[in-house]
């Protein structure tokens, strides 16, 4: 197991034991992703933990938390704000100040010291926010339509605030915030970035007609509604390169009150356009609830066939389902979410068939090391 130790109040992770590729399961084979090489095909999905400290700097414990999980082929961090107006929940980190960059550098150093690779997920929540988090300002959105969901603020979940529609003149600043934060990510030592285009946040809000009622160049047609997501992704690619840029989509996930009247042609078009950018990967949440590709009316295979780069599947996968998806060429990598919270050595547990530790729901958001860095590793005879 990885050995965690402290030195001068900094957290370090010694390189974990070697995991030799298992020839019977592609999940544990090395993989070339864009500009980087992965030790296996297991991805740690982004997981919000709401533990940032003053200035929305990553918690000093974050270096230990991510370092413990560095046996994943790729770690994708918790969603990280691109600007002050991008925040939707209490104590979620940013990457737009010098202090935040320095805080993330400790995290990337810990992961790299442990032999891992790490991308940061860049995030603008749009309407999924509360004015108390935004200095009294209203959240921004494609249209002035309230999100029927909750924000975590003042240590409790409360209904989101009524948003205002972004002016056309403000959209270039949104695009620039993603571009500049991608540049900050490389400065902070990240191997790349994931654009958060999923789960009912700003880019997803623009894409879907349930939340976008605009009549300008960013509303109406599929091409117009997809424009901001594509403009942002192009800006990130221009800044750091396609081989270090990924994106996450959720075509039918109803998270945060989001919906679209006809998602198949919308996401077929988006995927075709993203394919032309030669991104490092397309990360897809394959369904609304439950297990993989559970939403039968939507054809996720149509996205897989339209994107010729790396395809990451996510949504309720376990070892057997991941093995099946990889064997059928339905995915190249498989992302695991909550299992990584309570199982820092998830790769080893999956590989050995060991049981998984259950997560503590009460410690998911906020707090200190309890439920964050104190989950057990397997014993040597597990």
């Amino acid at each position: 197991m990885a050995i965690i130790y402290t030195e001068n109040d900094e957290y370090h992770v010694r390189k974990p034991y070697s995991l030799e590729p298992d020839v019977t399961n592609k999940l544990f084979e090395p993989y070339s992703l864009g500009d980087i090489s992965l030790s296996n095909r297991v991805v740690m999905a982004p997981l919000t933990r709401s533990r940032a400290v003053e200035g929305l700097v990553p918690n000093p414990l974050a270096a230990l938390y991510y370092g413990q999980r560095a046996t994943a082929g790729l770690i994708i961090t918790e969603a990280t704000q691109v600007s002050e107006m991008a925040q939707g929940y209490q104590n979620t980190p940013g990457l737009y100040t010098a202090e935040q960059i320095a805080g993330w550098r400790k995290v990337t150093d810990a992961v790299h010291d442990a032999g891992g690779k790490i991308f940061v997920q860049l995030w603008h929540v749009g309407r999924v926010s509360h004015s108390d988090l935004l200095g009294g300002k209203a959240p921004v959105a494609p249209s002035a339509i309230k999100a029927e969901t909750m924000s975590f603020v003042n240590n409790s979940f409360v209904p989101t605030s009524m948003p205002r529609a972004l002016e056309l003149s403000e959209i270039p600043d949104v695009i620039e915030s993603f571009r500049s934060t991608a540049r900050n990510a490389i400065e902070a030592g990240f191997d790349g970035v994931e654009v958060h285009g999923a789960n009912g946040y700003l880019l997803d809000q623009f894409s879907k007609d349930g939340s976008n009622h605009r009549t300008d160049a960013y509303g109406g047609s599929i091409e117009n509604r997809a424009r901001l997501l594509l403009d942002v992704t192009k800006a990130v690619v221009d800044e750091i390169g396609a081989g270090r840029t990924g994106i996450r989509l959720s075509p039918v996930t109803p998270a945060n009150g989001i919906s679209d009247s006809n998602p198949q042609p919308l996401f077929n078009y988006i995927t075709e356009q993203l394919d032309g950018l030669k991104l490092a990967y397309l990360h897809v949440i394959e369904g609304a609830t439950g297990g993989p590709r559970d939403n039968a009316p939507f054809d996720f295979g149509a996205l897989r066939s339209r994107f010729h780069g790396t395809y990451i599947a996510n949504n309720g996968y376990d070892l057997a389902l991941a093995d099946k998806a990889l064997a059928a060429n339905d995915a190249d990598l498989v992302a695991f979410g909550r299992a990584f919270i309570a199982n820092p050595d998830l790769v080893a547990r999956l590989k050995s068939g060991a049981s998984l530790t259950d997560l503590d729901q009460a410690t998911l958001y906020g707090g200190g090391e309890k439920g964050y860095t104190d989950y057990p590793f397997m014993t040597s005879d597990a």
Side-chain angles (χ1 to χ4, degrees):
M1 57 183 267
I3 300 173
I4 312 303
Y5 65 100
T6 61
E7 180 180 300
N8 299 326
D9 297 323
E10 293 187 0
Y11 289 93
H12 301 266
V13 185
R14 290 182 181 160
K15 292 181 185 290
Y17 48 80
S18 173
L19 297 175
E20 295 299 328
D22 183 343
V23 295
T24 67
N25 194 315
K26 291 179 69 175
L27 190 62
F28 306 112
E29 293 179 355
Y31 185 82
S32 294
L33 174 68
D35 295 344
I36 65 174
S37 296
L38 308 183
S39 61
N40 56 64
R41 298 174 184 238
V42 177
V43 176
M44 178 179 169
L47 297 157
T48 292
R49 305 306 307 275
S50 292
R51 280 171 164 83
V53 296
E54 185 177 356
L56 302 182
V57 172
N59 193 303
L61 287 169
L64 176 56
Y65 170 75
Y66 285 111
Q68 288 174 330
R69 290 154 179 80
T71 50
L74 176 67
I75 291 173
I76 305 171
T77 73
E78 62 209 276
T80 300
Q81 286 101 231
V82 297
S83 68
E84 292 180 357
M85 286 298 294
Q87 185 182 6
Y89 306 90
Q90 177 180 324
N91 300 128
T92 50
L95 189 49
Y96 53 87
T97 71
E99 292 77 16
Q100 292 164 357
I101 294 170
W104 278 118
R105 186 76 206 204
K106 295 177 182 177
V107 173
T108 61
D109 284 348
V111 171
H112 292 150
D113 286 349
K117 300 293 169 59
I118 183 168
F119 276 39
V120 61
Q121 188 186 62
L122 301 185
W123 191 30
H124 194 310
V125 301
R127 67 180 188 168
V128 185
S129 189
H130 192 279
S131 58
D132 282 0
L133 292 168
L134 306 175
K137 298 177 183 177
V140 297
S143 303
I145 302 171
K146 190 175 185 293
E148 296 303 323
T149 189
M150 309 292 277
S151 173
F152 185 58
V153 58
N154 301 324
N155 298 313
S156 64
F157 283 95
V158 298
T160 58
S161 298
M162 183 68 186
R164 67 172 181 84
L166 276 164
E167 298 290 339
L168 191 60
S169 61
E170 295 176 293
I171 289 179
D173 288 339
V174 172
I175 298 169
E176 179 56 30
S177 68
F178 277 89
R179 181 200 299 273
S180 61
T181 307
R183 182 171 60 248
N184 292 346
I186 301 305
E187 182 180 345
F190 284 102
D191 297 293
V193 309
E194 177 177 281
V195 175
H196 197 342
N199 290 346
Y201 297 114
L202 185 67
L203 302 185
D204 204 24
Q205 292 161 27
F206 267 83
S207 298
K208 293 177 177 174
D209 59 17
S211 49
N212 185 344
H213 293 183
R214 301 175 75 95
T215 57
D216 59 18
Y218 288 89
S221 68
I222 284 174
E223 293 79 7
N224 282 358
R225 284 184 281 123
R227 192 182 306 278
L228 182 60
L229 182 149
L230 296 173
D231 284 352
V232 162
T233 308
K234 290 173 185 174
V236 171
V237 166
D238 288 346
E239 188 64 37
I240 66 171
R244 295 186 181 275
T245 304
I247 190 168
R248 197 182 205 203
L249 304 177
S250 57
V252 294
T253 306
N256 295 310
I258 202 73
S259 65
D260 189 81
S261 62
N262 194 7
Q264 191 76 60
L266 170 64
F267 282 90
N268 287 353
Y269 171 79
I270 286 173
T271 301
E272 290 167 357
Q273 299 305 304
L274 293 171
D275 185 58
L277 296 178
K278 309 298 182 185
L279 301 181
Y281 66 78
L282 178 69
H283 182 185
V284 182
I285 302 173
E286 294 181 335
T289 58
R293 301 193 177 190
D294 68 299
N295 196 286
F298 191 92
D299 180 9
F300 288 98
L303 306 191
R304 170 64 163 156
S305 65
R306 283 170 166 78
F307 190 78
H308 297 92
T310 296
Y311 182 98
I312 304 177
N314 174 246
N315 194 40
Y317 279 86
D318 59 15
L319 178 60
L321 290 169
D323 192 24
K324 181 179 177 181
L326 294 173
N329 198 35
D330 287 337
D332 300 298
L333 306 174
V334 179
F336 296 81
R338 289 193 166 199
F340 257 117
I341 291 176
N343 299 275
D345 55 351
L346 180 64
V347 175
R349 289 176 186 260
L350 292 174
K351 194 170 189 293
S352 68
S355 61
L356 301 185
T357 303
D358 293 330
L359 63 83
D360 178 7
Q361 296 279 349
T363 58
L364 280 178
Y365 306 111
E369 65 180 7
K370 182 174 174 55
Y372 190 54
T373 57
D374 64 344
Y375 282 109
F377 286 77
M378 287 194 302
T379 58
S380 59
D381 58 352

